[in-house]
């Protein structure tokens, strides 16, 4: 579907498959470059979200803390998206 075609590396891989003599190494380099550019745009976007903060995935107890933060107590409902 449309979403799959928007996945990182999809366009570059199809370009490689459709181009006779294309270099797999160059294609992999291009995918890495585009992935880094995408990650940088994400970091910029997240930096401007109020209340958004980075977490260290290696922090002990992180999974338990995330479950606590995102668990909705019985009887409460999820507020509609803004």
């Amino acid at each position: 579907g449309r979403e799959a075609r928007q996945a990182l590396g999809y366009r570059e891989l199809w370009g490689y498959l459709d181009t006779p003599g294309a270099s797999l190494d160059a294609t992999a380099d291009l995918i890495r470059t585009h992935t880094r550019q995408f990650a940088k745009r994400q970091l910029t976007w997240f930096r401007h979200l109020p209340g958004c903060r980075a977490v260290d995935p290696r922090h002990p107890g992180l999974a338990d803390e995330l479950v606590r933060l995102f668990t909705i107590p019985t009887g409460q409902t999820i507020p509609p998206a803004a």
Side-chain angles (χ1 to χ4, degrees), residues 5-21:
R5 288 191 303 271
Q6 293 175 333
L8 291 171
Y10 187 94
R11 183 178 359 145
E12 294 83 359
L13 190 57
W14 274 110
Y16 166 75
L17 294 173
D18 287 341
T19 307

Side-chain angles (χ1 to χ4, degrees), residues 2-82:
R2 187 175 81 89
E3 291 82 14
R5 288 191 303 271
Q6 293 175 333
L8 291 171
Y10 187 94
R11 183 178 359 145
E12 294 83 359
L13 190 57
W14 274 110
Y16 166 75
L17 294 173
D18 287 341
T19 307
S23 163
L24 183 57
D25 288 336
T27 301
D29 287 342
L30 187 59
I31 291 171
R32 278 190 284 275
T33 297
H34 289 166
T35 300
R36 278 192 298 274
Q37 290 169 343
F38 179 76
K40 186 175 179 179
R41 286 192 307 273
Q42 279 188 317
L43 288 173
T44 299
W45 187 76
F46 282 126
R47 198 173 305 120
H48 296 288
L49 284 178
C52 186
R53 61 187 173 98
V55 294
D56 183 351
R58 298 165 298 189
H59 186 275
L62 176 63
D64 292 333
E65 180 65 12
L66 290 174
V67 168
R68 186 187 70 74
L69 287 171
F70 290 100
T71 299
I72 299 182
T74 305
Q76 292 187 4
T77 59
I78 299 173

